[in-house]
Amino acid sequence: MYVDEVGNDDLTNVNDERHRYLSLSGAIFNQDYMRDVFVPTIDKLKREFFRGDPDEKVVFHRKDILQKNGPFKILNDVDTCKEFDAELHNLIRNSDYKLITAVIDKKALLTKSHWVKNHPYHWLMEILIEKYCQFLERHNAIGDLMPEKRHGKPDQSLQIAYESVYENGTRFAAADKIKKHITSSKLKFRAKSDNIAGLELCDLVAHPSYIHVRGCQGHTVNLGEFALKVVHALEELRYDRSPYNGIVKGYGWKYFS
């Protein structure tokens, strides 16, 4: 599972909408599929559109693409941008992975006595591990987790939260079951510059997914044209869902408040 976050763990500025929410998304790939299919596919897409300095890595990052920074400045050409968006949408929609997104409203939870001693990362990591473990159990599989390296406190907070859940389990996933299906007590942090295809995909879908989950709670949100297409692809094909009735809520995404 490749993990990306939206927001931060700050608990002092929760009245500011920009700091009120924190989200973690995990994109689950089969290792063989990642190596044999997804990596060659994303590399081919990069070669087709970005033919600049061969020594300059092209790393798909949502903000750089939107702002047309660095190698993505070629997207200032309207026709090229439309063609690239279409290919990127195909990659997001048609690649074989499942997504789980967990969102927390820090302002709401700070008012609840049962939550004040916990860290927001703990709640999100708990649900992410729990849902990932259940996914692996359904598929009789094992796996691990790779978040994007943020350096310093964010990485430390994420690792501490992860270790706590890994060692103690959750209400719906005992520690022995987690350890049976998730192979390491350490997160496999990797930097954006490492050019990890799974992290690139997760970066592209994490923010639209976060906004979509808030929208499902009745929040006033704004999804651009491309992000709306991403959300449709996630809802139709890519969110994890109940094997019994196909429901996404509680499987592909969950919201805490």
Side-chain angles (χ1 to χ4, degrees):
M1 174 186 276
Y2 301 88
V3 181
D4 195 35
E5 68 182 64
V6 177
N8 58 64
D9 64 340
D10 175 35
L11 294 175
T12 60
N13 296 298
V14 294
N15 289 321
D16 185 334
E17 285 292 301
R18 296 172 299 175
H19 301 285
R20 179 171 175 173
Y21 303 95
L22 176 64
S23 172
L24 287 181
S25 288
I28 305 169
F29 281 86
N30 173 274
Q31 188 178 53
D32 292 339
Y33 174 85
M34 171 60 68
R35 180 190 61 244
D36 298 335
V37 179
F38 188 75
V39 170
T41 300
I42 198 171
D43 286 346
K44 181 175 181 289
L45 178 57
K46 291 176 182 180
R47 290 195 303 271
E48 288 177 352
F49 282 90
F50 307 101
R51 303 184 182 93
D53 185 347
D55 297 323
E56 180 183 10
K57 288 183 180 178
V58 176
V59 179
F60 285 171
H61 183 223
R62 178 180 168 276
K63 287 185 178 179
D64 288 337
I65 294 171
L66 287 174
Q67 297 171 4
K68 300 177 174 59
N69 293 329
F72 302 106
K73 62 180 178 290
I74 67 166
L75 302 179
N76 284 303
D77 178 82
V78 174
D79 291 337
T80 301
C81 188
K82 286 182 179 179
E83 184 180 355
F84 176 73
D85 281 355
E87 292 296 329
L88 196 61
H89 174 255
N90 286 337
L91 180 77
I92 292 169
R93 178 180 177 82
N94 297 324
S95 297
D96 189 5
Y97 64 94
K98 292 299 178 184
L99 188 73
I100 300 171
T101 294
V103 179
I104 189 170
D105 180 347
K106 296 179 290 183
K107 181 179 179 179
L109 286 172
L110 276 174
T111 67
K112 299 183 179 181
S113 59
H114 70 274
W115 184 74
V116 292
K117 293 183 179 179
N118 290 302
H119 192 284
Y121 270 135
H122 177 89
W123 282 74
L124 294 181
M125 186 54 75
E126 179 173 314
I127 194 63
L128 209 61
I129 293 175
E130 183 178 279
K131 295 304 177 186
Y132 184 36
C133 180
Q134 292 169 350
F135 174 91
L136 292 171
E137 184 178 26
R138 294 199 308 268
H139 292 83
N140 192 29
I142 59 173
D144 53 23
L145 288 85
M146 179 185 290
E148 181 184 327
K149 185 182 294 184
R150 301 292 178 114
H151 304 286
K153 181 183 175 183
D155 289 354
Q156 294 169 6
S157 297
L158 204 58
Q159 179 61 43
I160 290 170
Y162 175 72
E163 288 180 0
S164 175
V165 179
Y166 192 83
E167 292 300 325
N168 299 300
T170 75
R171 182 180 177 186
F172 299 105
D176 59 346
K177 183 175 292 187
I178 291 173
K179 291 176 182 178
K180 176 182 178 181
H181 292 284
I182 300 179
T183 58
S184 175
S185 63
K186 299 297 181 183
L187 295 169
K188 296 169 62 177
F189 289 102
R190 295 293 186 273
K192 190 179 300 299
S193 58
D194 291 333
N195 203 22
I196 304 295
L199 289 178
E200 292 177 272
L201 184 282
C202 197
D203 176 274
L204 294 172
V205 300
H207 192 270
S209 184
Y210 151 71
I211 294 295
H212 172 61
V213 172
R214 286 188 54 197
C216 290
Q217 304 306 306
H219 299 184
T220 300
V221 297
N222 181 32
L223 284 165
E225 181 180 355
F226 184 79
L228 194 58
K229 291 180 179 179
V230 169
V231 166
H232 287 161
L234 297 179
E235 276 287 348
E236 184 179 351
L237 297 168
R238 297 300 151 216
Y239 278 131
D240 190 27
R241 60 189 67 235
S242 167
Y244 307 107
N245 55 23
I247 291 176
V248 169
K249 184 178 179 181
Y251 287 81
W253 62 259
K254 193 161 185 177
Y255 180 85
F256 290 104
S257 63

